Amino acid sequence: MRLHVGCAMWTHVPWQGRFLPHPLPPGERLRAYATWCNAVEGNTTFYATPARDTVESWARQTDPDFRFVVKLPKSITHERRLTGAGADEELRAFLSAIEPLESRAHALWVQLPGSFAPTDLGTLAAFLRGLPPSYRYAVEVRHRAFFDDTRSVRLLEGVLARAGAEWVPFDTTTLFQSPPTSDAERDAWTKKPRVPRRSTALTDRPIVRYLGRDATERTVEGWQEWVATVTEWLREGRSPTVFVHTPDNADALSLARRFHDEVRARVPEVEPLPEPMPSEPLTLF
């Protein structure tokens, strides 16, 4: 029984020398991160398709059961809005680049802009039908109708179900419970989507993105519903992946492990995470 947890990135300045060894060459940073967490969001691919040899390095640094949830480039999802020959060409280049990940590519993540509305669902359905069956797919929507309008929810769930794709919730409810108290929280308030929490799994591999606060106790308090939901999913035989964010992400690495620990306390059969790599070199004295 596996629960995968992770963060929005595998290298972050506040982690250096605190959680992860410093300095580390670029070709070792993901390896160190993977001793703390067993999944990561592939956000960098949103901005550009990586070189194939870069992806080969990612594969070398991780075990085959490590999970990447890899975001499709914004040129496909936001600029071309999933249509046209240009989108097809860029998709082919992206799929070729990430091929070395093999089983590590847990899902290809289609994050859609807030302007992508229920009237665009035909475009999404056609896009998903054209994707190769060798990957799993996960879709994140931000248009408010997909959360407030029952008919729009049903229509989207139908499109995803026919494609065997998952709906990725980005839970920001803890962030927006009360006014921000730090610069990072104020920045997040201006950029993150303000939508209701959604906790319905469509497949056997649900994916959750949870955004807390910079204060640890508020982040932990806010994820208690997810601890209960993930526990239930595991007991149903599902294999969830949970990504923990905070506005500054300074403690996200340790928080992801804490979330895993809280779920494992309820479901002891869950396989433990690896032993973290020491942040300081070992000495003989």
Side-chain angles (χ1 to χ4, degrees), residues 140 142 144 147 169-178 188-189 191-198 208-213 222 226 245:
E140 181 185 337
R142 297 190 171 187
R144 188 77 189 198
F147 300 88
F170 188 17
D171 180 10
T172 61
T173 55
T174 297
L175 174 69
F176 291 113
Q177 272 180 347
S178 59
W189 261 54
K191 295 177 180 177
K192 303 305 181 184
R194 190 182 298 223
V195 294
R197 179 186 287 119
R198 173 189 162 82
V208 175
R209 307 179 71 219
Y210 168 75
L211 175 60
R213 302 291 291 253
W226 284 116
H245 302 231

Side-chain angles (χ1 to χ4, degrees), residues 137-196:
Y137 299 95
V139 176
E140 181 185 337
V141 292
R142 297 190 171 187
H143 194 284
R144 188 77 189 198
F146 291 123
F147 300 88
D148 293 341
D149 179 61
T150 302
R151 182 174 181 274
S152 297
V153 172
R154 282 202 315 269
L155 288 171
L156 176 55
E157 287 181 341
V159 166
L160 297 177
R162 286 189 288 275
E166 188 55 82
W167 181 334
V168 181
F170 188 17
D171 180 10
T172 61
T173 55
T174 297
L175 174 69
F176 291 113
Q177 272 180 347
S178 59
T181 59
S182 69
D183 288 342
E185 289 184 355
R186 281 185 281 275
D187 184 60
W189 261 54
T190 66
K191 295 177 180 177
K192 303 305 181 184
R194 190 182 298 223
V195 294

Side-chain angles (χ1 to χ4, degrees), residues 105-121:
H106 172 63
L108 304 192
W109 170 17
V110 185
Q111 185 186 78
L112 297 170
S115 60
F116 200 95
T119 53
D120 297 307
L121 283 176

Side-chain angles (χ1 to χ4, degrees), residues 45-99:
T45 57
F46 181 67
Y47 301 100
T49 294
R52 189 180 173 98
D53 60 351
T54 297
V55 180
E56 289 172 348
S57 171
W58 299 349
R60 284 195 299 271
Q61 294 178 65
T62 52
D63 293 334
D65 60 356
F66 186 89
R67 288 185 175 177
F68 289 84
V69 177
V70 192
K71 192 184 293 187
L72 264 62
K74 65 177 180 178
S75 57
I76 298 172
T77 56
H78 287 56
E79 295 167 12
R80 304 187 187 276
R81 295 175 69 88
L82 311 181
T83 63
D88 292 342
E89 182 178 341
E90 290 178 28
L91 178 63
R92 284 194 295 272
F94 174 77
L95 293 174
S96 175
I98 67 165
E99 203 171 37

